[in-house]
Amino acid sequence: MSTASTQLPEGRYGRSEDERADRKLKVIGSVLGVALLALMGWFAYYYVFSSKISAEVITFKAVSGNAVEVHLEVRKDAGAHGYCTLRSQADDGSEVGRADFRFDQDSSRIDKVVTLRTTSRGGTAELLGCHAD
């Protein structure tokens, strides 16, 4: 004696529930993927174009046991005012100096040598960031 099959004939009664669920998951995944790409694009645009002041350490030199001279190149919008934060570390990695330096000139590019005071001999000079007012 044989048992009757409970499966429906292929293609006769439309899509199965699994195929409908797969299609919904594909649509939801596509929408979330597009939203993630849009969000990443917005963050990238904000990061690149909202920065009104940026700088780069060209050179640094420990001039004494309690000072480091740092040559900075600052690029900013012509009317922007702000400051850059520098720090110095000793050879063992401990922080020996940190200071903010203001840049209020109207020019868009500034080359300036600043002196960072330290508590002991500084082995590095690092730019932590620049911020517009």
Side-chain angles (χ1 to χ4, degrees), residues 66-82:
N66 60 355
V68 176
E69 278 188 355
V70 182
H71 179 193
L72 281 178
E73 180 181 305
V74 180
R75 293 167 303 280
K76 63 184 189 69
D77 293 345
H81 302 289

Side-chain angles (χ1 to χ4, degrees), residues 73-121:
E73 180 181 305
V74 180
R75 293 167 303 280
K76 63 184 189 69
D77 293 345
H81 302 289
Y83 62 94
C84 293
T85 304
L86 294 171
R87 82 168 174 181
S88 181
Q89 292 178 312
D91 291 334
D92 64 358
S94 62
E95 184 174 294
V96 293
R98 180 185 293 239
D100 293 333
F101 295 96
R102 291 209 54 84
F103 296 98
D104 293 331
Q105 297 89 337
D106 287 331
S107 61
S108 62
R109 185 176 174 274
I110 302 165
D111 271 341
K112 189 171 184 179
V113 176
V114 296
T115 302
L116 176 61
R117 299 286 174 202
T118 60
T119 56
S120 64
R121 186 159 190 86

Side-chain angles (χ1 to χ4, degrees), residues 30-85:
S30 298
V31 168
L32 290 176
V34 168
L36 179 65
L37 286 175
L39 184 65
M40 287 174 43
W42 183 79
F43 280 128
Y45 176 81
Y46 181 78
Y47 179 75
V48 170
F49 292 110
S50 71
S51 179
K52 295 183 180 182
I53 184 170
S54 64
E56 180 180 2
V57 173
I58 304 300
T59 62
F60 64 90
K61 176 174 63 171
V63 293
S64 69
N66 60 355
V68 176
E69 278 188 355
V70 182
H71 179 193
L72 281 178
E73 180 181 305
V74 180
R75 293 167 303 280
K76 63 184 189 69
D77 293 345
H81 302 289
Y83 62 94
C84 293
T85 304

